[in-house]
Amino acid sequence: MNILLRIYRRLTFRKGIYGAIGKKNHFSGGVIVYENAQIGNYNYFSPYAMINNAAIGNYCSIGPGARIGLGEHDTNCVSMRPIIANGEGKMKLFDPDKRTAVGHDVWIGTNAVLLQGVKVGNGAVIGANAVITRDVPAYAVAVGVPGEIIRFRFDDKICNEIEKSKWFEEEEGKARKIVADLKRRLSL
C-alpha cells in the first residue's frame, strides 16, 4: 500500500508527502512529511519544512525550514553514525512513545526546531530559529535557544473562551464565522 501511495504522490508532484494527511492542506515546494507523521486539516507548510514522528492539529502555519519531531541520535552509542552505532548497525532514531504533538492554530516560525516528545498547545507561537526542548502551553509565545516562554497571547478568560468555542474543529467557512464572533464578543 505504501508503494502505491508513493507512486500516486510522485505523479501528483507531492514527492515528499507520505504521512497521514488531512484535507485542504497546502504544501510549498521541498516540504517533507514522513510516513510516521499525522497532519490535520487546513494547515500551511512553507518551503522546506520537515515533519517526522509528529502529530499536527488543524489550521497551523509552519514556517520555512521548520523541523518538527526529527530523529535523535543515541549519544550512548560508540559511533554517532546510525549504520555503525554499537557495531550492530542499529540506532533507534525515532521513539514512537516520544511523538511530537502540535495542537490547533499553532504558528511555527522560520527554521524553528521542535524536538521529539515535545507538546505544543493550541494557539501557541514558536518564534523563528527557536529550539523547543520542552512543552509549550496553549497560547504561549516561545522564543530562543533553548525555547523560553516570553508571554501569553491573551489572558486566561480569553484563552478559555477560544478553547470553549472549538472553532479549530470546524470546516473553514464555519470556523471563520466563529472566529469573527469571538473577535466581536471579546473585543479583540
Side-chain angles (χ1 to χ4, degrees):
M1 183 62 170
N2 275 346
I3 193 76
L4 294 175
L5 189 58
R6 282 182 182 230
I7 291 169
Y8 167 76
R9 289 195 169 138
R10 285 191 186 270
L11 291 173
T12 59
F13 303 104
R14 293 175 63 195
K15 294 178 185 173
I17 313 298
Y18 301 115
I21 309 296
K23 63 183 178 182
K24 297 191 177 181
N25 289 291
H26 174 81
F27 298 96
S28 296
V31 172
I32 298 173
V33 178
Y34 291 90
E35 283 94 347
N36 61 352
Q38 180 181 350
I39 308 295
N41 305 314
Y42 305 103
N43 295 294
Y44 176 83
F45 294 85
S46 297
Y48 307 107
M50 293 178 69
I51 317 300
N52 201 342
N53 198 30
I56 296 178
N58 302 325
Y59 296 101
C60 293
S61 298
I62 313 299
R67 307 288 191 250
I68 301 172
L70 298 184
E72 296 176 9
H73 288 246
D74 183 351
T75 59
N76 295 316
C77 289
V78 174
S79 172
M80 291 289 88
R81 182 83 168 113
I83 64 169
I84 297 176
N86 281 326
E88 301 121 16
K90 299 177 191 169
M91 180 186 284
K92 187 176 179 181
L93 297 173
F94 303 103
D95 184 348
D97 296 329
K98 286 179 65 179
R99 191 171 172 99
T100 303
V102 176
H104 304 294
D105 192 38
V106 173
W107 173 26
I108 299 173
T110 300
N111 296 324
V113 175
L114 280 65
L115 298 184
Q116 273 191 81
V118 168
K119 293 181 182 11
V120 177
N122 294 339
V125 173
I126 307 300
N129 299 307
V131 177
I132 304 302
T133 60
R134 57 182 176 246
D135 294 353
V136 176
Y139 303 98
V141 177
V143 300
V145 179
E148 295 290 333
I149 296 164
I150 58 168
R151 68 181 178 91
F152 284 83
R153 293 177 54 208
F154 308 110
D155 64 31
D156 288 344
K157 179 182 180 252
I158 292 173
C159 291
N160 290 334
E161 287 293 318
I162 294 170
E163 285 293 303
K164 196 166 62 173
S165 78
K166 299 220 182 281
W167 71 265
F168 37 75
E169 294 178 1
E170 301 295 339
E171 298 290 327
E172 196 171 15
K174 187 170 183 182
R176 277 194 185 126
K177 289 177 184 175
I178 294 169
V179 168
D181 181 59
L182 282 168
K183 182 180 182 341
R184 182 187 49 76
R185 282 190 308 109
L186 300 173
S187 301
L188 298 176

